Amino acid sequence: MAWKRVPPKIDPVARSVLDPYSHWALGPGLQDFLLPSVREQSVPVLLRRKTEPWDEKAWALWRDAAGDADMPERPPRSAEPFDVRLLSLSKTRRLVEDRTFRHLFEGLERFTLGPPLPSSSAASRDARKARPLQSPSPGVTPNTVVVGIIDDGIPFAHERFRKPDGTTRIEYVWVQHGTASNVPIGFDNGFEIDKGEIDNLLATCRQGDFIDEDEIYRRAGVADFTREGRKSLAWRASHGAHVMDLACGWDPDEAPDWRIVCVQLPTATTADSSGASLAPYAVKALEYIRDRAQAIAGRGRSLPVVVNFSYGLLAGPHDGTHEIELAYDQILRDHNTTPGNKPMRVVIPSGNSHLARAHATVAFQAAGDQATLPLRVLPDDLTPSFVEIWLPPATAAGNRVELTVATPQGDVSPPLEEGDTYILQYDVGGKVLCEARYHLSSAPTGRGMFLISLQPTTRLESENSPVPSDPVAPAGLWNLSLKNLWLSSHEPVEAWVQRDDAPVGYPRRGRQSYFDVPSYEIYGHDGDLLEEDDPACPVKREGSINAIATGRNTIVIGGLLRRELRPPAYSAGGPVTTPVGAALPHRCGPDALTVSDDSIVRAGVLAAGTHSGSVVAMNGTSVAAPLITRWIAGELAAGRRGNRRAVWKLAYGYELLPFPLPRPSPERGGAGRAPLPPVRPARIER
């Protein structure tokens, strides 16, 4: 039982651009990264190229690794800076470990893995060629808007998304997992359900005069219990159903001409939020909505688009340079600056982690000072836990701070230095329970990070293994100690615990770790939850904003209590970290607040369950974001801009009303409160 320093096995060039989570996923964390009980799996690989175009040698190496004969032999001039391919696990490892591919990595800024899919979800070459793009419904008008939804549990048969004649308003649904059949043109996995197929299912899946939605979902392959995986649409409520109703649900007789394009993210990505990147799936999802919106508009025309992406992470650089943020900003910038294109907007929630104790800030006063962040790792956690400790930008190479890790039993690691190429591993009986490494993120992040990775604290062993045999980390306090060598008091170190909780409707697997500092006060003298920080406590509520909600071009929305007109205790905000080379951050927090709860005693807002006629209450900033998405769709339909500035103006307008409470700080509330009206009628009693 001992800590040890382990030299890296990967070429330094590849190591410098490889997402640090990928080291854990392909090493000690492999069994938690892979899908259980699935023999053949495909791993999505996301490349972010440097600003230079592909050179022919790097392109040939990437083409060889992808094994895709349909890729052109020479690099395309118009290639996007982001590229996603599905590779087998063996190919992925070879790509990372074989120095043959060094030249490929020299042209990259980032190499990111996503959670794997069953190989049956990856399209064969013949499957990609076989499917033509189905024509969207005709009749585009000046008031037509495309509303995109990226989520889980997309209820495409629901009456709230139908026209008065009983047909659907949904043009396309891309299910990113499931057997690869009807694979979308231009994409490599899952299957597409188009409007014609949905209309046919609505017409044929009936019990008398009633539409059998369960039969529709079974036939479509999204709620077929003969197949593996979770079936979100078989449950009473789903996150996607609720969000989709708030964003674009209408009674059929009242529905405007809003064409809906949906992407169902893989259930494995939704179920496990503990570190495996959803970036490859999220990037392709936005590209899909963009491409299908163009298909709906028709050649030479354009339609306004607004996309709701109600997902969030806790850990990341928080300066607008997370992989998803960079990709979304690039896609939006390219689309909105192309002559003739109508606006495209993306709305993201600010996050629910204001009280999660997942963020800490340490500012040293002098060289030699030390600070300890006690990480409380809970028992019964079936998923890995991760902590990111981000250092300020360095003006010169050198070791400014050291990290040591102490286990709950008191085993203290040797120091891990800034710039250290070695890895710290806590090894018990030949099994790695904890790993700490230093990673320098390339431009545009340009900052160093310590990543601490922990095995689950419990496992469900098979019936053939009565004695636990898989690696399990001890629960309790893991002390993360930082020693200052030459950071100034104006160079704070920031730490975030990665998200590790269960999404709506999913069984609990992960349990959220947190910083357990004795000086952190949870309750005030009146027994209420404290929402303001103690300056002397390193654990901070501020700065807990969603790690993919700090981009430049996305619209970020926090929550609001409708009755009390103040943010709920969970609604997270800034400040946002200043990017390298900038004098100030490009945003201070969310853009505005809108309703996420009817009141402090009536949590959540009402919207659709998975089946027609059902209504459920859900809360969180994830249900505030689609209200703004709905408002933006109306603005775009009216020919207005519906951009960030328009959202600010909306909030400013509401703030002119005689609200009973003062406006929240810009870091917490952005431009202010915009209590938009409820989507479901007030006659529904709670």
Side-chain angles (χ1 to χ4, degrees), residues 49-105:
R49 200 179 70 249
K50 290 181 179 178
T51 53
E52 300 84 5
W54 281 103
D55 68 48
E56 293 196 7
K57 181 180 178 182
W59 178 259
L61 289 169
W62 179 225
R63 189 173 183 271
D64 174 56
D68 185 355
D70 290 332
M71 291 173 66
E73 292 188 9
R74 304 191 68 178
R77 293 181 180 178
S78 60
E80 298 190 66
F82 293 85
D83 194 12
V84 178
R85 303 284 169 173
L86 283 165
L87 308 181
S88 68
L89 179 63
S90 60
K91 280 187 176 181
T92 304
R93 279 186 147 165
R94 176 173 172 252
L95 186 61
V96 171
E97 297 171 0
D98 190 340
R99 298 199 175 206
T100 303
F101 296 98
R102 180 170 189 167
H103 187 72
L104 168 62
F105 283 96

Side-chain angles (χ1 to χ4, degrees), residues 332-644:
L332 289 169
R333 184 166 53 250
D334 290 348
H335 179 91
N336 291 328
T337 57
T338 299
N341 277 355
K342 292 190 176 178
M344 182 178 184
R345 314 295 181 209
V346 174
V347 184
I348 292 177
S350 69
N352 305 328
S353 56
H354 188 63
L355 303 182
R357 287 186 275 175
H359 175 221
T361 301
V362 176
F364 295 105
Q365 298 304 311
D369 286 354
Q370 297 191 46
T372 298
L373 298 175
L375 177 70
R376 177 69 67 180
V377 180
L378 300 178
D380 198 27
D381 186 350
L382 291 163
T383 60
S385 297
F386 302 91
V387 178
E388 298 180 11
I389 301 176
W390 285 88
L391 307 183
T395 56
N399 179 26
R400 299 173 297 167
V401 64
E402 292 178 345
L403 168 72
T404 57
V405 182
T407 71
Q409 292 76 26
D411 296 324
V412 182
S413 74
L416 183 69
E417 300 178 351
E418 179 183 6
D420 207 329
T421 59
Y422 277 67
I423 305 158
L424 292 181
Q425 289 185 342
Y426 184 61
D427 187 297
V428 178
K431 297 174 182 176
V432 177
L433 306 188
C434 175
E435 183 177 271
R437 65 172 64 240
Y438 174 82
H439 177 79
L440 177 62
S441 291
S442 59
T445 304
R447 293 155 59 208
M449 175 193 74
F450 294 117
L451 176 66
I452 298 95
S453 309
L454 286 163
Q455 296 281 6
T457 59
T458 190
R459 292 189 183 276
L460 299 178
E461 300 288 342
S462 69
E463 60 182 10
N464 297 323
S465 302
V467 177
S469 58
D470 295 325
V472 175
L477 278 181
W478 289 72
N479 286 305
L480 315 179
S481 298
L482 296 166
K483 180 180 179 181
N484 182 35
L485 300 182
W486 50 281
L487 283 174
S488 74
S489 59
H490 303 295
E491 296 179 298
V493 175
E494 294 195 275
W496 283 273
V497 184
Q498 188 57 279
R499 182 180 175 187
D500 194 16
D501 56 359
V504 172
Y506 280 77
R508 191 193 73 188
R509 297 185 67 244
R511 300 190 68 194
Q512 185 66 54
S513 301
Y514 59 92
F515 293 123
D516 193 0
V517 175
S519 61
Y520 183 93
E521 297 288 340
I522 301 175
Y523 301 102
H525 296 299
D526 58 359
D528 245 352
L529 289 167
L530 288 174
E531 298 183 40
E532 302 299 325
D533 283 325
D534 176 0
C537 180
V539 179
K540 304 297 184 184
R541 298 164 180 85
E542 64 179 16
S544 299
I545 191 169
N546 178 0
I548 59 172
T550 64
R552 295 176 180 272
N553 296 327
T554 50
I555 297 166
V556 179
I557 302 300
L560 182 71
L561 300 169
R562 182 183 298 281
R563 184 176 180 85
E564 291 81 4
L565 289 171
R566 65 175 178 83
Y570 58 77
S571 184
V576 170
T577 303
T578 303
V580 171
L584 294 169
H586 48 267
R587 64 160 70 236
C588 58
D591 292 301
L593 306 178
T594 196
V595 180
S596 59
D597 300 83
D598 286 333
S599 75
I600 198 169
V601 295
R602 288 188 171 185
V605 296
L606 296 175
T610 52
H611 290 70
S612 296
S614 65
V615 176
V616 298
M618 290 186 187
N619 72 343
T621 58
S622 286
V623 305
L627 283 178
I628 290 290
T629 299
R630 188 185 193 92
W631 179 83
I632 290 173
E635 291 291 290
L636 296 176
R640 294 186 284 270
R641 298 180 65 84
N643 56 6
R644 285 183 67 190

